[in-house]
Amino acid sequence: MKEIKVGIIGATGYGGIELIRLLSNHPHFQIHAVYSSSQDGMEISEVYPHLANILYTLKKIEPKEMAKELDIIFTATPSGVSSQLVPQLLKEGIKVVDLSGDFRLKTEELYEKWYKKPSASIEDLEKSVYGLSEWFADEVKESTFIANPGCYPTATLLGLAPLAQKKLIQPNSIIVDAKSGISGAGRGLSPIVHYAEINENLKIYKINQHPHIPEIESILARWDDQIGHISFSPHLIPMSRGIMSTMYVQLNKEFSAEEIHQLYVNCYEDAPFVRVRKLGEFPSTKEVSGSNYCDINVTVDERTNRVTIVAVIDNLVKGAAGQAIQNGNIMMGYDQQTGLNVLPIYP
Amino acid sequence: MKEIKVGIIGATGYGGIELIRLLSNHPHFQIHAVYSSSQDGMEISEVYPHLANILYTLKKIEPKEMAKELDIIFTATPSGVSSQLVPQLLKEGIKVVDLSGDFRLKTEELYEKWYKKPSASIEDLEKSVYGLSEWFADEVKESTFIANPGCYPTATLLGLAPLAQKKLIQPNSIIVDAKSGISGAGRGLSPIVHYAEINENLKIYKINQHPHIPEIESILARWDDQIGHISFSPHLIPMSRGIMSTMYVQLNKEFSAEEIHQLYVNCYEDAPFVRVRKLGEFPSTKEVSGSNYCDINVTVDERTNRVTIVAVIDNLVKGAAGQAIQNGNIMMGYDQQTGLNVLPIYP
Amino acid sequence: MKEIKVGIIGATGYGGIELIRLLSNHPHFQIHAVYSSSQDGMEISEVYPHLANILYTLKKIEPKEMAKELDIIFTATPSGVSSQLVPQLLKEGIKVVDLSGDFRLKTEELYEKWYKKPSASIEDLEKSVYGLSEWFADEVKESTFIANPGCYPTATLLGLAPLAQKKLIQPNSIIVDAKSGISGAGRGLSPIVHYAEINENLKIYKINQHPHIPEIESILARWDDQIGHISFSPHLIPMSRGIMSTMYVQLNKEFSAEEIHQLYVNCYEDAPFVRVRKLGEFPSTKEVSGSNYCDINVTVDERTNRVTIVAVIDNLVKGAAGQAIQNGNIMMGYDQQTGLNVLPIYP
Amino acid sequence: MKEIKVGIIGATGYGGIELIRLLSNHPHFQIHAVYSSSQDGMEISEVYPHLANILYTLKKIEPKEMAKELDIIFTATPSGVSSQLVPQLLKEGIKVVDLSGDFRLKTEELYEKWYKKPSASIEDLEKSVYGLSEWFADEVKESTFIANPGCYPTATLLGLAPLAQKKLIQPNSIIVDAKSGISGAGRGLSPIVHYAEINENLKIYKINQHPHIPEIESILARWDDQIGHISFSPHLIPMSRGIMSTMYVQLNKEFSAEEIHQLYVNCYEDAPFVRVRKLGEFPSTKEVSGSNYCDINVTVDERTNRVTIVAVIDNLVKGAAGQAIQNGNIMMGYDQQTGLNVLPIYP
């Protein structure tokens, strides 16, 4: 059985160590080397003692060397870093799954408006495929460069896709009230995620200003170009992991809760990582923790003909490292579930 | 200075002990006795060791005796208990602030539809005044019987009132995404609020089915009878205290964020417990914890002409015991801030 | 490759679902059936929605039937249940790993004194082997019935064993200050583990009265019969998982920190699940979360010749289900790490 | 009634804002000005939005100006800052309560050994009185300069004092297993107290190396100069507030649990902030949260003649700001409870 040699760039962030955790049980992907621009030369176990028995020395990023040794690279680098780095890797002919936001938007203007940073070039933007593989697996399969979806967009798009794709949504009617555990903010120090400040606290931030908004809107527009703008409010929840996206949508036709629920069941019957829950049973974030599942349910308020959709994921798995491996599996011709078939950790 | 003799019924619930905490520093209200139907004869400190130095023996509820001894009673009893008990107290001529949901709705049908319990009689329902004193202080002042607002309705109505009262809201356009700390579920045991189940978890429940919905809708209708139905999704947040109500409203005219913010500033300039935050600064729940404040802010999404309003309270203070004392102060002719002028506890 | 048919009794407790989680990735052990005395007939996913895609109907416990179908049974039943049930299973000739405390003590008197329940018979007590496999693997290998160690004893005994076995401990000098996450208290409802009561709280309980005390003392006595009594204080920590045992021991000879550290390194060099950390680096509970590791370190206070030992485990993995599978592996002739080689989940 | 003009230096730390919270309800102490060396010119509400309605501009520290305006200053400055600043304030004749560790040790050598910083001069060290007012109120009353006890020493010394003062403790037998909520680490950013790292985690640190060790030992030696050294292990607990000190002591005579308990009851019968709990009932940290109480209980393990003592405080109140105000009250001739008579906030 061929062994796929994997590199992880940005191995010392939360996305990076989650890749290490998940890949350590992958039957075909073998971590060949881990890279860090800021901490090269250190052992990974010095940075993260929970990896005490893992022997990886963090290496410098050298694209030419990597090309010789690696089959695929996961770049878990911050926005603004990937846009510089990934084109060099692509030039060397390595397959790349990029976990940053740098290649998810398809025009330079849109990127620079929302990220307030210089964009990658339009040529490079166009090379990437958006890796929401439940909907774009065919493109992923053919691609060598995946822009891995953001954490909020993953839950939100999986939640909205069945309605958007059937063109059932009234223009400009989508409201996304998104909630994330604190690991979503990364490992960088900040007063906002200082324990004593965010513990026992609930914080709303970047209302209608989060860079995941254009990502969601542009993918929705691929399914329904009349769908318009969304209102999007992210909140920080005092827990380490988990995202819940609570979505409110005005339908353009009348449906019962049963009909809409059935639509979702049908849409996702072949998607092993999407669990549409039983009618009336709504998912909690802990019910997918540590796993690659996205659990979803819907209901209709007959008084207002408004749909409420709830989608939950583990932000570091389905919202980052897990989905990246799922994309890597598809790119490499493996079953998408390979190495990802673990149950949620509960309680 | 006259001392007001206070009784607390349901002293062993979280609302009850919060009344004890806050009243222990009230200059005029004196706790005369505390009552419990289930634990009478016990010392309060046996039930709650944090009150180790407080000497109250829980007494049986005997309305006639109470009438002789007390000036005002706070009933922190569960729904379905107050509806039986409060009429007996009123008959004895005692002033009552009821913290339950039993007298907040104004028809028997509405109560029974949403609470699935027998209602108090229409005569008794009509006796009560809804104690959202920022808006109904004149009625509270004249009343002897207050239906203290629910926790979600307090944050939600204070957040929506300026727009509703100016009739700026499109019919059926209000969406309330409400989040509560776990103490809101009370002290009753249940798997849902078992620590290992709800810690590191985020749970949505009773979507469009929570009994606070008709309470919110009927008060909104007093300001604008075209306002229609709301969508309402409550969520449990893994923290002990705090409510955030995130509200989305479609305006029927165009406004800038500055204009709407100014409207809120003007509305609440004489409300000492409502702090409309600076333009652009949104409140977190911890910033009001332990206090009677409701902090609010608003913004407008120019892309959709939709307003997002954020209101936070401590569910046990402004959402229960604090607001009850505020109402008691007004009924008794004291400044509403008496005994409530404490800063939030942070961090 | 032969498939081992596994049954889980008590599948709806936290130990039970952790067995399901871990066994779902075991290459040889196949969950054949799950059993519950109280919820038979229900789907496991009705009890635990995080298992939404798992199809197990909870079955009645019928020892004769089980004997025909199963190779090994894990009994994750409460104390007092196993003592009745396990002898019936043994009689049918099935291999058993019992996760309860019912067979860990070796006299009826000791059990009844500490558990305040009727003991299993002395004959049955004597059949079991204590499954601390880092120290008793030879016995485990030959056994058909394992008393799986308790959560506190696992961390504590792995921490004390190197000193006890070398007879370096002054009699009656051991103090164990033990701390556990709340899942250790199980899924049974109780005010003590009601979210609002134990969140943001730190509680000491059963000082010198916990039934894990005689378990620890009797195993220590196997290594050093002069070791005497321990002082043992368990504490509840507001987190879901994790145990830290902080141990204080008076040495009967003088040693440097380096010497004692080296003793530990040597003792555990062949134990894949015990990670003796680098000199001076002490483990935190999260660094083993979700994994079967026990991380340990030691230091010596030269001012008092007292050793401080710190050992951490995940109470549900190494402290319960993981260790049970480790024992099952050894009993069945597999490498002890089979199916357990997963990294901690962090953060 | 004379108003005491108070200044707070270091107002933007957690000790500082807790002083603001508590003093806002003090009938005699009036906050005249708040000072910050790093953020002068800012409004306190810009730093801490929970103080949105409080109008204090942070002022520069100018001892001469302060002397003209203020009656008493609370210095909630970090170690190494107070040692420089406080002597200047004293020279101006202002009364000072210093919340830092800079004046608690009584020789320069001891300070520099444990704090690894230059000490204040021996002259200045000797000017201060150690403000554990339950035991040294007479000295506090006569003093103009208080070294306010550290958080761990407060709980630990109140727990050990009755035994130490009666000389009942075997030399070198004291073990202190101390646990603190995360606010004890202050507001400074660090990976250790980054939310995602310390949430759901339990961390031991600075074993036998914490600078509170010599503070505890030197005060114990005032009561019993044979008491020797302590073993001291501090732990970080994933909660915002609260300290529990679990202490293990070998007695030099035999006593029953009842006798020792009675000794504690007698010792503290006139101490309004120390609540010795009923025999057999051990305190939890949440039971004192937000209050100035120290709750204590003891038991004796007859098997080893070892006493276990448990003492809990709110680290920011009795362990910092509350105790500082208690000392200020005594210095100024007020009842020690003035302004501090609030119940714990629970749940």
Side-chain angles (χ1 to χ4, degrees):
Chain A
M1 200 152 44
K2 190 177 173 294
E3 180 188 277
I4 305 295
K5 289 187 181 152
V6 174
I8 300 170
I9 300 184
T12 61
Y14 291 152
I17 54 167
E18 193 71 352
L19 283 163
I20 292 174
R21 179 176 78 91
L22 294 168
L23 289 173
S24 75
N25 279 328
H26 196 289
H28 309 306
F29 286 4
Q30 194 70 25
I31 299 176
H32 187 79
V34 299
Y35 305 86
S36 165
S37 55
S38 55
Q39 293 169 294
D40 69 279
M42 288 182 77
E43 287 296 310
I44 189 80
S45 64
E46 292 177 84
V47 187
Y48 284 108
H50 75 281
L51 300 174
N53 54 328
I54 297 294
L55 299 174
Y56 294 136
T57 309
L58 291 161
K59 297 174 68 174
K60 258 217 179 86
I61 301 166
E62 298 183 34
K64 277 187 203 308
E65 292 304 308
M66 292 167 160
K68 291 180 203 150
E69 296 174 0
L70 301 174
D71 297 305
I72 185 168
I73 291 183
F74 293 93
T75 49
T77 34
S79 289
V81 174
S82 282
S83 59
Q84 303 298 311
L85 174 66
V86 170
Q88 302 174 50
L89 299 172
L90 295 175
K91 209 181 301 171
E92 302 297 330
I94 323 177
K95 290 198 169 87
V96 172
V97 180
D98 179 44
L99 283 77
S100 87
D102 280 2
F103 295 92
R104 298 181 198 143
L105 305 182
K106 291 306 176 205
T107 74
E108 300 177 8
E109 295 68 33
L110 202 57
Y111 181 87
E112 295 183 352
K113 176 181 170 195
W114 289 89
Y115 281 85
K116 326 271 185 217
K117 286 177 187 169
S119 174
S121 72
I122 182 71
E123 293 72 33
D124 287 325
L125 292 180
E126 287 178 347
K127 281 179 194 149
S128 76
V129 160
Y130 189 74
L132 190 71
S133 61
E134 277 76 12
W135 291 91
F136 309 122
D138 290 347
E139 295 177 38
V140 171
K141 203 174 297 178
E142 303 304 318
S143 175
T144 58
F145 174 26
I146 301 297
N148 205 53
C151 52
Y152 287 129
T154 298
T156 302
L157 289 169
L158 289 175
L160 293 171
L163 299 180
Q165 191 240 9
K166 298 277 185 199
K167 300 195 169 34
L168 296 176
I169 301 177
Q170 279 193 19
N172 289 325
S173 82
I174 299 174
I175 292 167
V176 180
D177 192 283
K179 296 108 179 159
S180 176
I182 312 299
S183 65
R187 210 191 194 197
L189 301 183
S190 144
I192 288 167
V193 291
H194 192 59
Y195 183 89
E197 304 279 323
I198 195 65
N199 178 46
E200 289 290 293
N201 200 356
L202 170 57
K203 194 175 181 63
I204 193 168
Y205 68 106
K206 287 196 183 170
I207 302 176
N208 300 327
Q209 294 175 340
H210 196 287
H212 285 171
I213 294 171
E215 180 180 341
I216 295 167
E217 289 180 344
S218 56
I219 300 301
L220 288 175
R222 289 175 61 170
W223 292 312
D224 179 357
D225 61 9
Q226 299 302 307
I227 218 156
H229 291 300
I230 66 170
S231 290
F232 185 85
S233 301
H235 301 72
L236 288 178
I237 304 294
M239 60 187 192
S240 292
R241 288 176 178 237
I243 278 182
M244 179 182 284
S245 184
T246 314
M247 295 160 270
Y248 303 92
V249 169
Q250 205 72 38
L251 294 177
N252 55 24
K253 289 187 207 148
E254 284 199 20
F255 288 98
S256 69
E258 287 75 13
E259 290 167 326
I260 294 291
H261 180 260
Q262 191 58 45
L263 168 65
Y264 276 72
V265 169
N266 295 346
C267 266
Y268 288 119
E269 65 187 346
D270 296 327
F273 292 123
V274 179
R275 305 189 297 190
V276 178
R277 302 283 287 271
K278 277 178 289 187
L279 191 69
E281 178 188 292
F282 283 84
S284 301
T285 58
K286 199 187 190 98
E287 290 163 5
V288 296
S289 196
S291 82
N292 202 47
Y293 293 116
C294 176
D295 280 16
I296 299 184
N297 216 339
V298 285
T299 191
V300 180
D301 187 2
E302 295 146 20
R303 308 189 312 165
T304 57
N305 202 33
R306 190 177 288 129
V307 173
T308 303
I309 309 149
V310 180
V312 300
I313 58 170
D314 182 322
N315 57 305
L316 294 177
V317 189
K318 184 61 176 168
Q323 183 162 236
I325 294 169
Q326 186 182 356
N327 280 313
N329 284 335
I330 296 171
M331 285 168 88
M332 291 299 182
Y334 295 109
D335 184 284
Q336 61 179 322
Q337 298 183 68
T338 313
L340 293 172
N341 231 338
V342 294
L343 292 175
I345 185 163
Y346 189 97
Chain B
M1 199 150 45
K2 190 178 173 293
E3 179 188 278
I4 305 296
K5 288 185 182 154
V6 173
I8 300 171
I9 300 182
T12 62
Y14 290 153
I17 55 168
E18 193 70 353
L19 284 163
I20 293 174
R21 179 178 77 93
L22 294 168
L23 288 173
S24 75
N25 279 328
H26 197 290
H28 310 307
F29 286 4
Q30 195 70 26
I31 299 175
H32 187 79
V34 298
Y35 305 87
S36 165
S37 55
S38 55
Q39 294 170 293
D40 68 281
M42 287 182 76
E43 285 298 309
I44 189 80
S45 63
E46 292 178 83
V47 187
Y48 284 109
H50 76 280
L51 300 175
N53 55 329
I54 298 294
L55 300 173
Y56 295 135
T57 309
L58 291 160
K59 296 174 69 173
K60 258 218 180 87
I61 301 165
E62 298 183 32
K64 276 189 202 311
E65 291 306 306
M66 292 167 158
K68 290 181 201 148
E69 296 173 359
L70 302 173
D71 297 305
I72 184 168
I73 290 183
F74 294 92
T75 49
T77 35
S79 289
V81 173
S82 282
S83 60
Q84 303 298 311
L85 175 67
V86 170
Q88 302 173 48
L89 299 171
L90 294 175
K91 208 181 301 170
E92 302 298 329
I94 320 176
K95 289 198 169 85
V96 173
V97 180
D98 178 44
L99 283 77
S100 87
D102 281 1
F103 296 91
R104 298 182 197 143
L105 304 182
K106 291 307 175 206
T107 74
E108 300 176 7
E109 294 69 31
L110 203 57
Y111 181 86
E112 295 183 352
K113 175 181 169 194
W114 289 88
Y115 281 85
K116 325 273 185 215
K117 286 177 187 169
S119 173
S121 72
I122 183 70
E123 294 73 33
D124 286 325
L125 292 179
E126 287 178 346
K127 279 179 194 152
S128 76
V129 160
Y130 190 73
L132 190 72
S133 61
E134 277 75 12
W135 292 93
F136 309 122
D138 290 347
E139 294 177 37
V140 171
K141 203 174 296 178
E142 304 303 319
S143 174
T144 57
F145 173 27
I146 301 298
N148 206 53
C151 51
Y152 287 129
T154 297
T156 302
L157 290 168
L158 290 174
L160 293 171
L163 299 180
Q165 191 241 10
K166 297 279 183 198
K167 299 191 171 34
L168 297 176
I169 301 177
Q170 278 193 19
N172 289 326
S173 81
I174 299 173
I175 291 167
V176 179
D177 192 283
K179 294 107 179 162
S180 176
I182 312 298
S183 65
R187 209 189 194 197
L189 301 183
S190 143
I192 289 166
V193 291
H194 192 57
Y195 183 89
E197 304 278 324
I198 196 64
N199 179 45
E200 290 290 292
N201 200 356
L202 171 55
K203 195 178 181 60
I204 193 169
Y205 67 106
K206 286 194 184 173
I207 303 175
N208 299 326
Q209 295 175 340
H210 196 286
H212 286 171
I213 293 172
E215 180 179 339
I216 295 168
E217 289 181 345
S218 56
I219 300 300
L220 288 174
R222 290 175 60 171
W223 291 313
D224 178 357
D225 60 10
Q226 298 303 305
I227 218 156
H229 290 300
I230 65 171
S231 289
F232 184 84
S233 302
H235 301 72
L236 288 179
I237 305 295
M239 59 186 192
S240 292
R241 288 177 178 236
I243 278 181
M244 179 182 285
S245 184
T246 314
M247 296 159 270
Y248 304 91
V249 169
Q250 206 71 39
L251 293 179
N252 55 24
K253 290 188 205 148
E254 283 199 20
F255 289 97
S256 68
E258 289 74 14
E259 289 167 326
I260 294 291
H261 180 260
Q262 191 57 47
L263 168 64
Y264 276 72
V265 170
N266 295 346
C267 265
Y268 288 119
E269 66 186 348
D270 296 328
F273 291 122
V274 179
R275 304 190 297 190
V276 178
R277 302 283 287 272
K278 277 179 288 188
L279 191 68
E281 178 188 292
F282 283 83
S284 301
T285 58
K286 201 187 188 97
E287 291 164 4
V288 297
S289 196
S291 82
N292 203 47
Y293 293 115
C294 176
D295 281 16
I296 298 183
N297 215 340
V298 285
T299 190
V300 179
D301 187 3
E302 293 145 21
R303 308 189 313 163
T304 56
N305 202 35
R306 191 177 288 128
V307 173
T308 303
I309 310 149
V310 179
V312 300
I313 58 170
D314 182 323
N315 57 305
L316 294 178
V317 188
K318 184 61 177 168
Q323 183 162 239
I325 295 170
Q326 185 182 356
N327 279 314
N329 283 334
I330 296 172
M331 283 168 89
M332 290 300 183
Y334 294 109
D335 183 285
Q336 61 180 320
Q337 297 183 70
T338 313
L340 294 172
N341 231 338
V342 293
L343 291 175
I345 186 164
Y346 189 97
Chain C
M1 202 152 45
K2 191 177 173 292
E3 179 188 276
I4 305 296
K5 289 187 182 154
V6 174
I8 300 171
I9 300 184
T12 60
Y14 290 153
I17 54 167
E18 193 70 353
L19 283 164
I20 292 175
R21 178 176 80 90
L22 294 168
L23 288 173
S24 75
N25 280 328
H26 198 289
H28 309 307
F29 285 5
Q30 194 70 27
I31 300 176
H32 186 79
V34 297
Y35 304 86
S36 166
S37 54
S38 54
Q39 294 169 293
D40 68 281
M42 287 182 76
E43 287 296 310
I44 188 80
S45 63
E46 293 177 83
V47 187
Y48 283 108
H50 76 282
L51 300 175
N53 55 327
I54 297 294
L55 299 175
Y56 294 136
T57 309
L58 291 160
K59 295 174 71 174
K60 257 215 179 89
I61 301 165
E62 299 182 34
K64 276 189 204 309
E65 292 304 309
M66 292 167 158
K68 291 181 203 150
E69 298 173 0
L70 301 174
D71 297 305
I72 185 169
I73 291 183
F74 293 93
T75 49
T77 34
S79 288
V81 174
S82 282
S83 60
Q84 302 298 311
L85 174 66
V86 170
Q88 302 175 50
L89 298 171
L90 296 174
K91 209 181 302 170
E92 303 297 331
I94 321 177
K95 291 198 168 84
V96 172
V97 180
D98 178 44
L99 284 76
S100 87
D102 280 2
F103 295 92
R104 298 182 198 143
L105 305 182
K106 291 307 176 204
T107 74
E108 300 177 7
E109 295 67 34
L110 202 57
Y111 182 87
E112 295 183 353
K113 176 181 169 194
W114 288 89
Y115 281 84
K116 326 271 185 216
K117 285 176 187 169
S119 174
S121 71
I122 183 70
E123 293 73 32
D124 287 325
L125 292 179
E126 287 177 347
K127 282 179 194 150
S128 76
V129 160
Y130 189 72
L132 191 72
S133 60
E134 278 75 13
W135 292 91
F136 309 122
D138 290 346
E139 294 177 38
V140 171
K141 203 174 297 179
E142 303 303 319
S143 175
T144 57
F145 174 26
I146 301 298
N148 205 53
C151 52
Y152 287 129
T154 298
T156 302
L157 289 169
L158 290 174
L160 293 171
L163 300 180
Q165 191 240 9
K166 298 278 184 199
K167 299 195 170 32
L168 297 175
I169 302 177
Q170 277 194 19
N172 289 326
S173 81
I174 299 174
I175 291 167
V176 180
D177 192 283
K179 296 108 178 158
S180 175
I182 312 298
S183 65
R187 209 191 193 197
L189 301 183
S190 143
I192 288 166
V193 291
H194 192 58
Y195 183 89
E197 304 279 323
I198 195 66
N199 179 46
E200 290 289 293
N201 200 356
L202 171 55
K203 194 176 182 63
I204 193 169
Y205 68 108
K206 286 195 184 173
I207 303 174
N208 299 327
Q209 293 176 340
H210 196 287
H212 286 170
I213 295 172
E215 180 180 340
I216 295 167
E217 290 180 344
S218 56
I219 300 299
L220 288 174
R222 290 175 60 171
W223 293 311
D224 178 357
D225 62 8
Q226 298 303 306
I227 219 155
H229 291 299
I230 66 171
S231 289
F232 184 84
S233 302
H235 301 72
L236 288 178
I237 304 295
M239 60 187 191
S240 292
R241 288 177 177 236
I243 279 181
M244 179 182 285
S245 183
T246 313
M247 295 159 272
Y248 304 91
V249 170
Q250 205 72 38
L251 294 177
N252 55 24
K253 291 188 205 148
E254 283 200 20
F255 289 98
S256 69
E258 288 74 13
E259 290 167 325
I260 294 290
H261 180 260
Q262 192 57 46
L263 168 65
Y264 277 71
V265 169
N266 295 346
C267 265
Y268 289 119
E269 65 187 346
D270 295 326
F273 292 123
V274 179
R275 305 189 297 190
V276 178
R277 302 284 288 270
K278 278 179 287 188
L279 191 68
E281 178 188 290
F282 283 83
S284 301
T285 57
K286 199 188 191 96
E287 291 164 5
V288 296
S289 196
S291 82
N292 202 47
Y293 294 115
C294 176
D295 281 16
I296 299 184
N297 216 340
V298 284
T299 190
V300 179
D301 187 3
E302 294 145 19
R303 309 188 312 164
T304 57
N305 201 34
R306 190 177 288 130
V307 173
T308 303
I309 309 148
V310 179
V312 300
I313 58 169
D314 182 323
N315 57 305
L316 294 178
V317 189
K318 185 61 175 167
Q323 183 161 236
I325 295 169
Q326 186 182 357
N327 280 313
N329 284 334
I330 297 171
M331 285 167 88
M332 289 300 181
Y334 295 109
D335 184 285
Q336 62 179 322
Q337 298 183 69
T338 313
L340 293 173
N341 231 339
V342 293
L343 292 174
I345 185 164
Y346 188 96
Chain D
M1 201 152 43
K2 190 176 173 293
E3 178 188 279
I4 305 295
K5 288 185 182 155
V6 174
I8 300 171
I9 300 183
T12 62
Y14 291 153
I17 55 167
E18 193 70 354
L19 283 163
I20 292 174
R21 178 177 79 91
L22 293 168
L23 288 173
S24 76
N25 279 327
H26 197 289
H28 309 308
F29 285 6
Q30 194 70 25
I31 299 175
H32 188 79
V34 298
Y35 304 87
S36 165
S37 54
S38 56
Q39 294 169 294
D40 69 279
M42 288 182 76
E43 287 296 310
I44 188 81
S45 64
E46 293 177 83
V47 187
Y48 285 108
H50 76 281
L51 300 175
N53 55 328
I54 297 294
L55 300 173
Y56 295 135
T57 309
L58 291 159
K59 296 174 70 173
K60 259 216 180 87
I61 301 165
E62 299 183 33
K64 277 190 203 306
E65 292 305 307
M66 292 167 158
K68 290 179 202 149
E69 296 174 0
L70 301 173
D71 297 305
I72 184 168
I73 290 183
F74 293 92
T75 49
T77 36
S79 289
V81 173
S82 282
S83 60
Q84 303 297 312
L85 175 66
V86 170
Q88 302 174 49
L89 298 171
L90 295 174
K91 209 182 302 169
E92 302 298 329
I94 321 177
K95 289 196 169 86
V96 173
V97 180
D98 178 43
L99 282 75
S100 87
D102 280 2
F103 296 92
R104 298 181 198 143
L105 304 181
K106 290 307 175 203
T107 75
E108 300 176 7
E109 295 69 32
L110 203 57
Y111 181 87
E112 296 183 353
K113 176 182 169 194
W114 288 88
Y115 281 86
K116 327 273 186 215
K117 286 178 185 168
S119 173
S121 71
I122 183 70
E123 294 73 33
D124 287 325
L125 291 179
E126 287 177 346
K127 279 179 195 151
S128 76
V129 160
Y130 189 73
L132 190 72
S133 61
E134 277 75 13
W135 292 92
F136 309 123
D138 291 346
E139 294 177 39
V140 171
K141 203 175 296 179
E142 303 303 318
S143 175
T144 58
F145 174 27
I146 301 298
N148 206 54
C151 52
Y152 287 128
T154 298
T156 303
L157 290 168
L158 290 174
L160 293 171
L163 299 180
Q165 190 241 9
K166 297 279 183 196
K167 300 193 171 32
L168 296 176
I169 301 177
Q170 278 194 20
N172 290 326
S173 81
I174 299 174
I175 291 168
V176 179
D177 192 283
K179 294 108 179 160
S180 175
I182 312 298
S183 65
R187 210 191 194 197
L189 301 183
S190 145
I192 289 167
V193 292
H194 192 58
Y195 184 89
E197 304 279 324
I198 196 64
N199 179 46
E200 289 290 293
N201 201 355
L202 170 55
K203 195 177 180 61
I204 192 168
Y205 68 107
K206 287 195 184 172
I207 303 176
N208 298 327
Q209 294 175 340
H210 196 286
H212 285 170
I213 294 171
E215 180 179 339
I216 295 167
E217 290 181 344
S218 57
I219 300 300
L220 287 174
R222 290 175 61 170
W223 292 312
D224 179 356
D225 60 10
Q226 298 304 305
I227 218 156
H229 290 300
I230 66 171
S231 290
F232 184 85
S233 302
H235 301 72
L236 288 179
I237 304 295
M239 59 186 193
S240 292
R241 289 177 177 236
I243 278 181
M244 179 182 285
S245 184
T246 314
M247 295 159 271
Y248 304 91
V249 170
Q250 207 72 38
L251 294 179
N252 55 23
K253 290 187 206 149
E254 283 199 19
F255 288 97
S256 69
E258 289 73 15
E259 288 167 326
I260 294 292
H261 180 261
Q262 190 58 45
L263 167 65
Y264 276 72
V265 169
N266 295 346
C267 264
Y268 288 120
E269 67 187 346
D270 297 326
F273 291 122
V274 179
R275 305 189 297 190
V276 178
R277 302 283 286 271
K278 277 180 287 186
L279 191 68
E281 177 188 292
F282 283 83
S284 301
T285 58
K286 200 186 189 97
E287 291 164 4
V288 297
S289 195
S291 82
N292 202 47
Y293 293 115
C294 175
D295 281 16
I296 298 183
N297 215 340
V298 285
T299 190
V300 180
D301 186 4
E302 293 146 21
R303 308 189 312 163
T304 57
N305 202 34
R306 191 176 289 128
V307 173
T308 303
I309 309 148
V310 180
V312 300
I313 58 170
D314 182 322
N315 57 304
L316 294 178
V317 188
K318 185 61 176 169
Q323 183 161 238
I325 294 169
Q326 185 182 357
N327 280 314
N329 283 335
I330 297 171
M331 285 167 88
M332 290 299 182
Y334 296 109
D335 182 286
Q336 61 179 323
Q337 298 183 69
T338 313
L340 293 172
N341 232 338
V342 293
L343 292 175
I345 185 165
Y346 189 96

